[in-house]
Amino acid sequence: MLISHPKENNIPEKLLTEHLSNVAENIKNILENLELNLTLISKKELIDLGFNIGLFHDIGKATTFFQNYIYGKMNKCDITNHSLLSAFIAYFFVKDKVKSKIFAFIVYKIIKKHHGNLENLAILGEKDTIYKYEGIFEKQKKDIKTSKNFDELKCFYEKYDINFDKFLELDINFFNEFKSIVSDSDEYLYEFENNDEKSIELFFIENLLFSCLIDTDKMDAARLLSEKYFENNLQELNVNPINYIKSQIKKSELDKNIISLNKLRNEFLEEIKNNNEINKQNHFYTITAPTGIGKTFGCMIFADKLKKQLKNGNCRIIYCLPYTSIIDQNFDEFLKILRFNLKNFDEKPTKYILKHHHLTENIIENRNKKDKDNDNEYIAYKDYLDDKLFVESWQSSLIVTTFVQFFHSIISARNRQLKKLHNIFNSIIILDEVQNIEPKIYKFLQKVFNVLAEKFNIYFLFITATQPEILDKNKKIIEIIDRDKYMTDDVFNRVKLNVNLKNIEKEDFVKNFKQKFKYENSLIVMNTKKTVQYIYRELKNYYGKLDYKVVCLTTNLIPKDRKLKIEEIKTDLRNHEKIIVVSTQMIEAGVDVSFKYVVRNIGPIDSIIQVAGRCNRNYEYGELGGVMDLVNVREYNIYGQYILEKVEFILKKQNYESKEFNLLAEQYFKSLNFEHENKEYLEALCSLDYNYIDKNFKLIDERCYEEEVYVLTTQEAKNNMDRLLQLKEKIKNKDFEDKDLIELEKTKFKLKEYQIGINRYDIEKIKIYIKPENDFESSFYKYISYKDFKKVYDSEIGFNIKEDANLTL
């Protein structure tokens, strides 16, 4: 009997025919349960295509060469390769079943690359390994034809009305004909030329099929397709926060300071609850409202209302934020809502909610524990890896994640990112603080969103205090609340903005600040980490003597220190301590802090308004009680001259009030035009140019080309790195146990709290401190030792190159 996967510990061999059948059936189930409105292919045809992908994706494993390899009787080599043979056979069997050859090529490409990343159609041509494959193909085909394996396959495919005798027609003539056809495969895209909507639809059809295959293939290989942990989780999810909010209001009803604010917050939530335009016919929604009104609760009311109108409530909610540093506070609120609403929530928490970004551990809570009364160790390393598969495919019913995770999962060529795509389709996507998306890709995303909404039934909610011009104005966009009512209400008219765009040096800024500052707290936001560090040092030297706590906040701090400082800032503000915070724009979105006096260096209008949301945030200083100065300190221009010129053109007055911010934002976004950048991305996507997409599509502009380095600032971090390297060595020498693999994964996760991105230019300057010395160029685990970290890292300001004879900035 042919096998697809060998015996593993207590898990028996996986029969090849069983694996092919399982994958095909699961892909079919996934596609059947999706609501799709496709124009290029009918749903039935898509399901048939997906089913055939599953049936043929591993047929190349039927050679005796691969079987000998999997049983350990033969080393891996060209003739044991199964993906290319499987792809070629699949193309042969589906080519006459599809109305367009492009779909046959897509089947070929998906199967060929199902253990790697998607590539261009052009790569299937002259550069493709198929040109080197002729001799291998002849041997593999002859092997299947003449061995007893042929009869096993024939019997299997007969169950699906597939005449496997047709396999015998595969000969060198067809092989040579295929080489000629595939070289001109790009020609089959011509029918989609000048039709962006159809081209984008084709892109997502390919990615959907690829996602279904790679996720199902991995799950079945791990024997997880029968897992019941997530069963019925989409239908059971209840995110309505109303009753939870009522329980919290009772606890705070004696707090007289927030009565007027709570009244408006309640009106805001009621308006969302009673909006009848929230229905399955409308796919685009916006909430534009001031900071502090309760948008987090509002988006859950919206999601709950819409979800109940969709088919059987069978809809995942994906909530996205721009930064990892602000996810925790929102995630904790969602946890409280779910725990309040769901009686048995704590038995299987990850069934309902998952926090997923690069700093979160891949664990499905209470799925693999020995028992509730025992320790929290996993039974086996396989369980840890299985959890990782579930986490990365977004099986939970509410996903809390980052913009990077979301956008790099829908616009990607990468296997690991695309694995979750099929669970994104038919979902409600909530993009909070959406103004943080780069304006230069607005038009590109607009076209992508249109197709995802109309063809793949995704629902979008954009939340911000400054609604950018991303959505297509020709489409129906539901403004869920009356933005003017809240943006201009006296309760939210909290800040007086003073504008002085005369260019000054950072030294003069510090001098002016010392002369003007007269409050108990202040937030200063600059655009670059180096400017922040300079201002911090100057103010620390001066105000430290006046009993002020001065704090520096940038991504030069390791995540552990950054998180600690944010919590300390919140505590100091609640306790009315004298504090000055100097930060980059990382504090501008979602961080729940409130200052009396705020200074912002010139930047995009939406960023200015977001920083204003940290000023008098809770109305504790009354109407216009917050003071904010917009200045123009000379520093490296991270935004580009075009953006700053637009800002200077729009800000014509010297003074503004919060109630005017909404109009300023509208004027600003309408003035932007990035047609050139949008055109390049769009052309790449429409031509299925996965190589360009993989290389160039970045949600965050990576100007400084940073490398990740661990900074071991504690004895604990040192011990963890020592242990990590010991474990790596044990594994390298094949002298390890199952528990060592688990410990390795957990230790890697612990060390993420000490990891920062350092500019490659600065990396060269501190090269002498980076370990391991003998493998500096290629080591994945670059680190600065506990002994040396103080030479390049300060716990107050983070990464910092000392100015001495050897290391100068």
Side-chain angles (χ1 to χ4, degrees):
M1 299 288 282
L2 296 166
I3 67 168
S4 61
H5 301 87
K7 181 180 179 182
E8 201 175 330
N9 296 326
N10 297 322
I11 302 173
E13 298 168 341
K14 168 74 74 170
L15 295 179
L16 175 60
T17 53
E18 179 190 0
H19 177 60
L20 296 175
S21 177
N22 288 349
V23 172
E25 291 290 348
N26 201 64
I27 292 174
K28 179 182 177 182
N29 289 338
I30 291 171
L31 296 174
E32 282 180 340
N33 287 324
L34 286 176
E35 291 203 27
L36 304 168
N37 307 305
L38 304 178
T39 57
L40 302 181
I41 187 171
S42 71
K43 186 172 179 179
K44 182 182 181 304
E45 290 169 326
L46 182 71
I47 292 169
D48 288 344
L49 207 60
F51 192 76
N52 277 281
I53 287 171
L55 283 182
F56 288 105
H57 81 283
D58 269 353
I59 190 175
K61 290 183 176 181
T63 66
T64 56
F65 311 119
F66 182 87
Q67 292 298 304
N68 286 333
Y69 158 70
I70 205 170
Y71 278 116
K73 300 176 183 177
M74 185 175 184
N75 292 328
K76 189 175 184 178
C77 59
D78 287 343
I79 207 164
T80 64
N81 179 290
H82 71 280
S83 295
L84 188 53
L85 177 62
S86 301
F88 183 54
I89 294 173
Y91 172 87
F92 178 75
F93 275 94
V94 303
K95 65 183 176 63
D96 297 325
K97 296 181 180 181
V98 292
K99 59 184 179 183
S100 171
K101 271 287 197 301
I102 193 68
F103 290 110
F105 285 125
I106 284 174
V107 168
Y108 172 82
K109 180 167 56 162
I110 285 172
I111 293 177
K112 178 175 179 286
K113 301 303 298 182
H114 77 276
H115 291 299
N117 302 326
L118 284 174
E119 291 182 344
N120 297 11
L121 274 172
I123 291 197
L124 298 174
E126 60 185 58
K127 295 180 182 178
D128 196 88
T129 50
I130 198 164
Y131 272 75
K132 308 169 188 175
Y133 184 59
E134 186 173 318
I136 298 169
F137 163 73
E138 279 290 289
K139 291 178 182 177
Q140 289 180 324
K141 183 228 172 185
K142 182 179 179 181
D143 177 78
I144 292 176
K145 177 182 175 182
T146 58
S147 72
K148 63 180 180 179
N149 300 342
F150 181 84
D151 291 333
E152 185 178 339
L153 292 173
K154 181 178 179 180
C155 182
F156 169 72
Y157 285 107
E158 279 179 356
K159 297 176 185 176
Y160 301 101
D161 294 325
I162 295 173
N163 179 14
F164 198 68
D165 283 331
K166 188 178 178 182
F167 175 80
L168 301 175
E169 299 173 18
L170 270 172
D171 55 23
I172 198 64
N173 292 327
F174 180 79
F175 185 83
N176 289 328
E177 178 188 339
F178 177 71
K179 286 193 296 186
S180 173
I181 294 171
V182 83
S183 295
D184 301 322
S185 56
D186 275 347
E187 292 182 8
Y188 294 94
L189 286 171
Y190 291 165
E191 63 182 287
F192 304 104
E193 266 193 324
N194 303 317
N195 192 324
D196 294 343
E197 186 174 294
K198 286 188 175 181
S199 298
I200 296 170
E201 181 183 336
L202 182 67
F203 173 82
F204 283 118
I205 288 172
E206 176 171 341
N207 286 11
L208 170 60
L209 291 169
F210 187 67
S211 175
C212 290
L213 173 61
I214 60 179
D215 191 35
T216 299
D217 185 36
K218 288 179 171 69
M219 289 291 184
D220 191 58
R223 284 68 163 179
L224 294 175
L225 285 184
S226 60
E227 172 65 60
K228 301 294 185 183
Y229 181 93
F230 298 95
E231 192 172 33
N232 298 322
N233 66 334
L234 298 185
Q235 296 90 334
E236 292 172 10
L237 181 67
N238 180 358
V239 293
N240 192 331
I242 296 296
N243 289 332
Y244 169 75
I245 293 170
K246 288 178 180 178
S247 73
Q248 298 306 299
I249 290 174
K250 288 179 182 178
K251 294 178 183 178
S252 62
E253 61 187 3
L254 297 178
D255 188 346
K256 304 298 184 183
N257 295 324
I258 62 170
I259 288 177
S260 58
L261 183 56
N262 273 347
K263 181 177 180 294
L264 206 59
R265 285 170 173 165
N266 289 337
E267 290 177 16
F268 167 76
L269 298 178
E270 282 294 316
E271 190 170 348
I272 298 173
K273 177 184 172 184
N274 296 324
N275 191 317
N276 292 325
E277 288 192 290
I278 300 174
N279 57 60
K280 63 181 182 180
Q281 280 72 45
N282 298 320
H283 287 264
F284 296 110
Y285 302 85
T286 63
I287 293 178
T288 309
T291 300
I293 198 169
K295 294 193 286 287
T296 304
F297 288 135
C299 73
M300 288 297 103
I301 292 175
F302 159 81
D304 181 74
K305 185 177 177 71
L306 178 58
K307 184 177 184 297
K308 288 174 180 174
Q309 300 180 55
L310 302 178
K311 186 178 179 181
N312 301 321
N314 193 20
C315 180
R316 185 169 280 104
I317 300 168
I318 302 173
Y319 175 83
C320 312
L321 279 162
Y323 308 120
T324 59
S325 58
I326 59 176
I327 281 183
D328 285 349
Q329 66 188 36
N330 296 65
F331 180 79
D332 289 343
E333 287 299 320
F334 297 147
L335 273 180
K336 292 172 187 175
I337 294 168
L338 292 177
R339 189 168 280 119
F340 188 91
N341 288 346
L342 300 170
K343 183 179 179 181
N344 299 320
F345 172 77
D346 287 314
E347 291 180 11
K348 296 180 179 180
T350 321
K351 174 179 180 179
Y352 302 106
I353 186 167
L354 171 73
K355 176 169 57 175
H356 187 220
H357 54 75
H358 74 285
L359 292 176
T360 54
E361 193 170 11
N362 296 309
I363 288 180
I364 304 297
E365 288 189 66
N366 299 341
R367 193 183 75 86
N368 290 310
K369 302 298 184 283
K370 295 174 182 177
D371 59 64
K372 291 183 179 179
D373 300 322
N374 209 331
D375 58 35
N376 287 328
E377 291 302 314
Y378 281 80
I379 298 170
Y381 179 57
K382 181 186 182 306
D383 293 319
Y384 192 96
L385 295 181
D386 291 348
D387 274 8
K388 186 176 181 181
L389 287 177
F390 283 121
V391 167
E392 291 181 345
S393 64
W394 287 6
Q395 301 271 1
S396 306
S397 44
L398 170 58
I399 310 294
V400 183
T401 190
T402 61
F403 283 3
V404 169
Q405 279 285 343
F406 172 70
F407 283 103
H408 286 244
S409 296
I410 61 171
I411 303 168
S412 180
R414 303 207 171 189
N415 188 297
R416 188 172 178 180
Q417 293 166 333
L418 287 172
K419 193 161 74 74
K420 65 177 78 73
L421 181 66
H422 65 92
N423 283 327
I424 293 175
F425 290 166
N426 286 194
S427 293
I428 297 171
I429 309 296
I430 300 169
L431 297 172
D432 201 349
E433 308 289 1
V434 72
Q435 76 286 341
N436 284 277
I437 296 172
E438 288 269 1
K440 68 181 182 182
I441 60 172
Y442 283 178
K443 296 296 182 185
F444 167 66
L445 290 182
Q446 184 181 107
K447 289 180 177 287
V448 168
F449 289 153
N450 285 348
V451 172
L452 288 175
E454 294 170 10
K455 309 300 180 186
F456 298 93
N457 273 305
I458 291 181
Y459 295 84
F460 292 95
L461 171 63
F462 286 11
I463 306 177
T464 180
T466 58
Q467 198 65 243
E469 298 270 319
I470 299 181
L471 294 177
D472 188 344
K473 296 299 181 184
N474 295 317
K475 304 295 181 182
K476 187 174 182 180
I477 303 168
I478 307 302
E479 289 196 49
I480 298 176
I481 53 101
D482 178 0
R483 70 165 80 179
D484 292 333
K485 171 183 175 180
Y486 303 101
M487 298 296 279
T488 61
D489 192 280
D490 289 345
V491 172
F492 289 105
N493 197 27
R494 298 170 290 196
V495 180
K496 182 178 181 181
L497 174 66
N498 307 306
V499 179
N500 184 350
L501 297 183
K502 181 181 178 182
N503 200 282
I504 60 172
E505 301 296 332
K506 59 182 181 288
E507 294 83 1
D508 292 325
F509 168 77
V510 171
K511 181 180 177 181
N512 294 343
F513 182 87
K514 290 176 183 177
Q515 292 173 350
K516 182 173 183 177
F517 179 63
K518 57 185 178 181
Y519 309 104
E520 71 174 17
N521 61 62
S522 176
L523 169 65
I524 301 169
V525 179
M526 293 287 146
N527 297 322
T528 68
K529 292 180 274 191
K530 289 189 176 181
T531 304
V532 168
Q533 287 183 350
Y534 170 82
I535 293 173
Y536 163 79
R537 288 192 189 98
E538 294 298 310
L539 297 185
K540 174 82 170 177
N541 290 337
Y542 183 78
Y543 284 100
K545 300 170 186 176
L546 301 176
D547 295 327
Y548 276 88
K549 184 175 183 179
V550 184
V551 181
C552 178
L553 194 60
T554 77
T555 53
N556 271 351
L557 291 158
I558 58 173
K560 178 184 176 70
D561 289 345
R562 204 184 313 158
K563 192 183 300 181
L564 182 63
K565 286 187 185 296
I566 290 174
E567 290 307 311
E568 287 176 349
I569 290 167
K570 291 179 180 179
T571 300
D572 289 339
L573 288 169
R574 283 195 299 268
N575 294 336
H576 304 287
E577 300 287 342
K578 296 167 71 175
I579 182 171
I580 300 171
V581 177
V582 191
S583 175
T584 54
Q585 53 275 53
M586 65 165 284
I587 203 171
E588 73 185 32
V591 181
D592 190 7
V593 290
S594 180
F595 294 84
K596 167 69 176 177
Y597 177 51
V598 172
V599 184
R600 174 65 165 100
N601 200 17
I602 188 171
I605 293 287
D606 57 292
S607 180
I608 294 166
I609 296 172
Q610 288 299 319
V611 172
R614 309 317 116 190
C615 185
N616 195 18
R617 180 181 177 88
N618 299 316
Y619 200 60
E620 62 266 52
Y621 302 109
E623 186 177 357
L624 294 177
V627 180
M628 178 172 172
D629 288 344
L630 180 66
V631 296
N632 190 357
V633 178
R634 194 189 304 276
E635 58 177 334
Y636 178 74
N637 182 2
I638 66 171
Y639 299 111
Q641 194 57 36
Y642 174 76
I643 289 289
L644 298 190
E645 286 175 357
K646 292 292 183 185
V647 174
E648 293 190 33
F649 176 76
I650 288 169
L651 296 177
K652 294 184 172 65
K653 299 195 305 179
Q654 290 184 332
N655 304 107
Y656 293 91
E657 297 180 3
S658 297
K659 62 184 179 182
E660 299 175 88
F661 290 169
N662 188 35
L663 180 60
L664 289 176
E666 284 185 10
Q667 293 173 346
Y668 170 68
F669 286 120
K670 284 178 180 177
S671 73
L672 299 179
N673 187 339
F674 289 98
E675 288 296 335
H676 177 68
E677 287 87 347
N678 284 279
K679 186 178 180 182
E680 288 182 351
Y681 286 139
L682 189 61
E683 286 177 352
L685 190 144
C686 289
S687 61
L688 302 184
D689 189 348
Y690 286 94
N691 291 39
Y692 182 91
I693 291 167
D694 185 50
K695 184 178 179 180
N696 296 286
F697 181 74
K698 299 287 186 293
L699 193 68
I700 298 174
D701 195 353
E702 297 176 345
R703 295 181 181 86
C704 57
Y705 304 100
E706 293 181 338
E707 290 189 35
E708 297 295 323
V709 176
Y710 297 96
V711 185
L712 309 183
T713 62
T714 66
Q715 182 68 47
E716 180 187 14
K718 175 192 181 302
N719 295 342
N720 282 330
M721 180 57 75
D722 290 344
R723 184 57 181 157
L724 177 69
L725 297 176
Q726 289 171 7
L727 291 166
K728 292 287 288 182
E729 193 64 24
K730 287 182 73 174
I731 292 166
K732 179 181 177 182
N733 296 330
K734 298 183 179 179
D735 177 28
F736 63 92
E737 299 177 37
D738 211 38
K739 65 180 183 179
D740 294 325
L741 297 170
I742 300 170
E743 187 182 355
L744 176 70
E745 294 295 329
K746 287 181 171 290
T747 304
K748 282 160 58 177
F749 172 72
K750 291 174 185 175
L751 282 166
K752 285 184 178 182
E753 287 292 308
Y754 297 88
Q755 193 176 43
I756 58 170
I758 299 178
N759 187 297
R760 290 176 188 169
Y761 177 72
D762 288 335
I763 286 271
E764 285 299 315
K765 293 182 179 182
I766 62 167
K767 190 172 179 178
I768 59 173
Y769 297 124
I770 295 182
K771 311 291 184 184
E773 296 171 358
N774 61 343
D775 193 21
F776 175 76
E777 296 298 331
S778 62
S779 173
F780 184 74
Y781 298 104
K782 291 187 177 77
Y783 68 93
I784 299 168
S785 71
Y786 182 54
K787 181 185 73 174
D788 291 333
F789 86 87
K790 289 183 180 178
K791 296 171 183 174
V792 296
Y793 187 88
D794 183 316
S795 61
E796 295 300 315
I797 63 175
F799 174 72
N800 174 47
I801 298 178
K802 305 288 185 183
E803 294 191 11
D804 57 29
N806 298 316
L807 299 169
T808 57
L809 289 171

